[in-house]
Amino acid sequence: MRNQGWRGLIGVALALAVTALPAAAQPYKAEYSLSIVPDAGTPWGKGTQLWADIVRERTRGRINIRLHPGATLVGGDQTREFTALRQGVIDMAVGSTINWSSAIPEFNVFSLPFLLRGYRSLDALTQGDVGRELFRRVEEQGVVPLAWGENGFRQLSNSRRPIRAPEDMRGLRFRVVGSLLFNDIFTALGAVPAQMTWNEAMRAIRTRKIDGQENPITIYNNVRLDTLGQRYVTVWDYVADPIVFVVNRQVWDSWSPQDRDIVREAAMEAARFEVTLAREDLLSTGRGTLEDLEARGVKVTRLTPDQRQRFVDATRAVYTKWKTLVGRDLVEKAEAAVKDDTPINKPHDVSVRR
Ligand code: X2X
C-alpha cells in the first residue's frame, strides 16, 4: 500500500514536470521532411538544398532536413502539398504560390495575366506590403513563412507552331497548373486547357497527349523539353510564380528560439541565392539562354510590345473577373506597387537585383 502511494506521488510529480516543460524542450525529430515539386537540379531545388545544408551545419546536426523532390510526399499531387504541411504530414516545404493558391486564394495575385512587368515589379510585391499581407495569410493557416524565392516568369512552349498572336493558340491543348485562373486565361486565348500535375504533364508531353505547356525556362531546360518535341517557345512573361520557404507550426514551436533564428536566417540566405540562380542560371552558358535555346534548334518568339498588347487585351476580362476573386484591395495595392516598373520584353535581364 505504502509503495503504491509513493508511486502515485511520483506519477503526479512526473505529470506536472512534463506539462511544465517549455515547448522548446520537446524532443527533436531525427529527420525533418521537406517537399518540393520539381527536380533537385533546378534553381528551386538548389536553393532548397542550400537551406537544408546551412541549417544542418549551424545547428550541428540538431535539425537534419531531408529533401523530397517531385512532390513524392503527396503522391505527386502538388495541389495537396500545403494541406499536408498544415496537417504535419510534411514538416517543411518550399512551394510555389500557384500550387498553394487553392488554400490561399490571394496567392493568385501573381497569376493575374500581365500584372507583372519584370523583376522590379515582382520584387515590389514580394518585398513590400503585398508580400507581408500574404505572409499573414500563411500564418493564419498554421504555417510559418520565412522567405520569398522564385520559380520565375513563365513562358509558353508547344510542339506545333510559333505563337505570335492569340489566334495561333486556337485549338491547341495546353497543360495548365492547379488554379482555375489558368483555365480561364487559356480559354480566353482560344486554347484548350488541361489541368494536371507536373509529373503528369511530362508524361503527356512525351506521349503527345498535349501540345504545349507553360513554365520558366529553367524548368523547361531542367527536363530538356526541347528533346521531347517542345520546339516552339514564346517569351510573353504573362505571370511569374514566387516560391515560399515555410515550416509547419508545431515543428517550429518545438525548436528552441536559438534554432528558430538559425532556420529563419538560413531561409533568407538560401532564398537570396535561389533568386540569383533563377535569374542568372538563364545566362550560365555565357550566351543568353534564349540564344542557347535557338542554337539547340528551338524556335524562340520574342513578342514586340504591340504583339504583347494583343495578349493583354484578350485576357483583360479574365483579369477583371479574378481581381474580385483575389480581393480588390490587395490587387489595387499590387497595381500601385508595380506601376513604376516599365514593361520589359526580357525578364531575363538580370540587371535588376534585390
Ligand atoms: O507544375 C509546374 O508547372 C511547376 C513545377 O512550375 C510548379 O510547381 C508550379
Side-chain angles (χ1 to χ4, degrees):
M1 278 307 275
R2 277 230 316 261
N3 262 347
Q4 289 217 333
W6 273 112
R7 251 183 247 146
L9 268 183
I10 289 166
V12 170
L14 269 178
L16 279 175
V18 168
T19 44
L21 276 179
Q26 275 174 26
Y28 282 30
K29 295 187 187 183
E31 187 177 280
Y32 293 92
S33 60
L34 193 162
S35 174
I36 60 167
V37 172
D39 182 78
T42 55
W44 182 344
K46 290 178 187 164
T48 306
Q49 187 60 57
L50 179 67
W51 185 25
D53 291 344
I54 301 178
V55 168
R56 187 177 303 113
E57 190 186 305
R58 294 193 192 152
T59 62
R60 297 178 196 284
R62 282 191 300 281
I63 298 176
N64 181 26
I65 301 166
R66 170 139 173 242
L67 200 66
H68 296 264
T72 48
L73 297 172
V74 281
D77 185 353
Q78 60 211 64
T79 57
R80 279 177 36 221
E81 197 180 47
F82 192 79
T83 309
L85 184 70
R86 281 175 67 189
Q87 293 170 340
V89 176
I90 298 173
D91 298 317
M92 308 167 78
V94 177
S96 161
T97 46
I98 297 175
N99 296 330
W100 296 356
S101 64
S102 47
I104 303 176
E106 291 87 349
F107 270 166
N108 280 308
V109 68
F110 300 104
S111 306
L112 288 172
F114 302 103
L115 165 69
L116 296 167
R117 298 159 189 217
Y119 288 130
R120 208 151 15 116
S121 47
L122 180 54
D123 291 345
L125 295 197
T126 56
Q127 307 305 309
D129 281 352
V130 170
R132 278 187 287 277
E133 193 165 328
L134 293 170
F135 269 15
R136 275 198 295 280
R137 295 275 168 282
V138 174
E139 293 253 17
E140 282 164 16
Q141 303 266 348
V143 172
V144 182
L146 300 175
W148 292 99
E150 130 189 347
N151 189 15
F153 277 86
R154 302 177 70 92
Q155 317 299 0
L156 269 185
S157 78
N158 84 94
S159 59
R160 299 278 177 179
R161 53 185 179 246
I163 290 168
R164 302 185 189 94
E167 298 81 75
D168 299 327
M169 293 173 71
R170 192 152 298 153
L172 295 189
R173 274 174 71 79
F174 279 91
R175 175 268 178 165
V176 292
V177 255
S179 166
L180 291 174
L181 171 48
F182 289 92
N183 287 52
D184 283 355
I185 294 172
F186 280 75
T187 303
L189 292 168
V192 184
Q195 220 175 61
M196 61 186 86
T197 69
W198 180 228
N199 293 324
E200 289 165 344
M202 283 183 285
R203 270 197 300 279
I205 286 168
R206 233 177 245 122
T207 56
R208 308 285 163 118
K209 292 220 167 66
I210 51 172
D211 302 305
Q213 63 85 48
E214 48 75 63
N215 247 301
I217 301 295
T218 52
I219 300 272
Y220 175 102
N221 275 341
N222 174 255
V223 291
R224 290 296 308 266
L225 288 185
D226 54 320
T227 65
L228 301 178
Q230 295 286 297
R231 293 188 48 252
Y232 300 96
V233 166
T234 294
V235 180
W236 65 339
D237 310 330
Y238 80 132
V239 304
D241 56 328
I243 53 178
V244 192
F245 289 60
V246 302
V247 180
N248 163 278
R249 166 62 63 191
Q250 279 79 40
V251 169
W252 180 257
D253 288 344
S254 74
W255 290 336
S256 71
Q258 180 205 3
D259 282 347
R260 282 181 222 158
D261 285 347
I262 291 174
V263 174
R264 183 188 296 280
E265 268 160 37
M268 289 184 336
E269 278 179 46
R272 270 195 298 277
F273 165 77
E274 192 278 334
V275 169
T276 308
L277 211 57
R279 296 178 188 185
E280 238 173 27
D281 203 51
L282 296 167
L283 300 171
S284 63
T285 54
R287 288 176 287 178
T289 300
L290 300 179
E291 287 73 22
D292 185 51
L293 281 182
E294 281 166 336
R296 296 193 329 241
V298 178
K299 170 90 186 77
V300 178
T301 302
R302 301 164 175 83
L303 299 181
T304 65
D306 286 349
Q307 285 174 330
R308 183 178 184 276
Q309 191 57 42
R310 297 218 36 236
F311 287 92
V312 177
D313 295 343
T315 52
R316 210 57 212 167
V318 177
Y319 184 106
T320 308
K321 170 184 166 188
W322 279 84
K323 181 169 175 173
T324 315
L325 294 175
V326 174
R328 286 202 150 277
D329 287 355
L330 184 75
V331 176
E332 270 157 23
K333 249 185 232 167
E335 287 168 347
V338 303
K339 80 174 184 324
D340 292 338
D341 197 4
T342 44
I344 52 170
N345 251 342
K346 292 185 296 175
H348 307 146
D349 168 10
V350 293
S351 58
V352 183
R353 296 261 178 79
R354 285 189 225 168

